[in-house]
Amino acid sequence: AQSVTQLDSQVPVFEEAPVELRCNYSSSVSVYLFWYVQYPNQGLQLLLKYLSGSTLVESINGFEAEFNKSQTSFHLRKPSVHISDTAEYFCAVSDPGNQFYFGTGTSLTVIP
Amino acid sequence: DAGVIQSPRHEVTEMGQEVTLRCKPISGHNSLFWYRQTMMRGLELLIYFNNNVPIDDSGMPEDRFSAKMPNASFSTLKIQPSEPRDSAVYFCASSLSDSNLHFGNGTRLTVT
C-alpha cells in the first residue's frame, strides 16, 4: 500500500519570504505525485504533478516541486510567497490502479 | 467544461433523517471518488468507482452509508439515518485513468 506523510501541519511565513512544504511517500510500485491546493470553502485544485520526465515540475503561479526518488520526497517550494498563497496544501500519490492517497495537509499562512 | 458538479452546496438536517448527496462527474471521466473532510480526520476516501462499478468501499464508515453510480454521469451518496458525527464536507471527484483528480466544491453537511 502507498502512504503520504506531510511533516508540517501548519507553516506561517512572512510575505515575500521563501517557503518549503515537505512531503514524503512510501510505495512499493511506481507512482505519480501531485500537489493540490484548497482555498476556503472550495474543493481541492491541482497545483502541479509529476508523471515522468524532468524531476522538477512547476506551476503557473511560481510554485515548484522536485521528485527525489532516493529520498522518496516531493517537497513543494516557492521563492517568494504572496498573501494569496494562504491556503491548505495537500500532497498526493496515485498508483497504477488509479487509487489516490492524500497526506493530512499543510496549512500555509502568509503574514503581511 | 463545467467541472464536477455537486448538490446541494449546504445541507442542514436533523439526526435520524435521510440525506442524499449528488454528484455529476466530468463527461468522459471513468473514475469517481467520494471523500469526506473533517478537521479531526482530514480527507478520507469513502468509496471509489471505476466505469460505474464500486472498486473499493472500505472507507465507508458503516452500513448507514451507501453509494450508487447508476450511469457514467451521476452518483449519489446516501446516509440513513444521519447522525451528528456525520457532519463534514463531502467531496466528489472524477478522473481519467492515470490523470489527476478533479474535485467538486463539496457539500457541507450539518446534522443537528
Side-chain angles (χ1 to χ4, degrees), chain A residues 6 8-11 21 35-47 63 76 83-91 102-110, chain B residues 37-39 41-43 91:
Chain A
Q6 291 183 245
D8 308 298
S9 59
Q10 295 185 356
V11 173
L21 307 184
W35 275 99
Y36 287 83
V37 60
Q38 184 181 28
Y39 299 104
N41 299 316
Q42 294 185 27
L44 282 69
Q45 305 170 32
L46 180 67
L47 187 61
F63 282 93
L76 182 70
I83 294 290
S84 60
D85 294 324
T86 294
E88 189 87 13
Y89 292 80
F90 292 89
C91 182
F102 283 86
T104 51
T106 297
S107 177
L108 174 65
T109 301
V110 180
Chain B
Q37 187 177 38
T38 61
M39 289 290 291
R41 296 198 186 92
L43 199 62
F91 287 105

Side-chain angles (χ1 to χ4, degrees), chain A residues 34-87:
Chain A
F34 305 82
W35 275 99
Y36 287 83
V37 60
Q38 184 181 28
Y39 299 104
N41 299 316
Q42 294 185 27
L44 282 69
Q45 305 170 32
L46 180 67
L47 187 61
L48 46 76
K49 62 184 177 182
Y50 171 78
L51 303 182
S52 64
S54 173
T55 57
L56 184 66
V57 291
E58 299 177 352
S59 72
I60 58 173
N61 58 351
F63 282 93
E64 64 178 31
E66 185 160 19
F67 169 53
N68 188 319
K69 188 174 182 179
S70 62
Q71 296 186 2
T72 60
S73 68
F74 193 55
H75 301 331
L76 182 70
R77 303 183 182 94
K78 188 170 184 179
S80 176
V81 295
H82 189 267
I83 294 290
S84 60
D85 294 324
T86 294

Side-chain angles (χ1 to χ4, degrees), chain A residues 32 34 36 38 40-46 49 51 88 90 92 94-104, chain B residues 9 30-31 33 35 37 42-43 45 48 50 56 91 95-106 108:
Chain A
Y32 299 140
F34 305 82
Y36 287 83
Q38 184 181 28
N41 299 316
Q42 294 185 27
L44 282 69
Q45 305 170 32
L46 180 67
K49 62 184 177 182
L51 303 182
E88 189 87 13
F90 292 89
S94 72
D95 65 17
N98 204 32
Q99 269 272 39
F100 282 77
Y101 302 86
F102 283 86
T104 51
Chain B
R9 283 300 309 272
N30 59 353
S31 296
F33 304 75
Y35 286 89
Q37 187 177 38
L43 199 62
L45 176 65
Y48 155 44
N50 193 43
D56 182 0
F91 287 105
S95 78
L96 278 172
S97 298
D98 301 332
S99 178
N100 61 284
L101 283 178
H102 297 258
F103 282 80
N105 283 327
R108 183 175 295 277

Side-chain angles (χ1 to χ4, degrees), chain B residues 49-89:
Chain B
F49 292 87
N50 193 43
N51 293 321
N52 311 339
V53 177
I55 303 300
D56 182 0
D57 65 354
S58 59
M60 296 286 264
E62 48 198 270
D63 292 346
R64 296 184 298 107
F65 285 69
S66 63
K68 294 182 179 179
M69 192 166 186
N71 56 62
S73 59
F74 184 66
S75 177
T76 59
L77 177 67
K78 186 175 294 187
I79 308 173
Q80 166 63 19
S82 58
E83 297 182 3
R85 60 192 168 120
D86 302 330
S87 297
V89 181

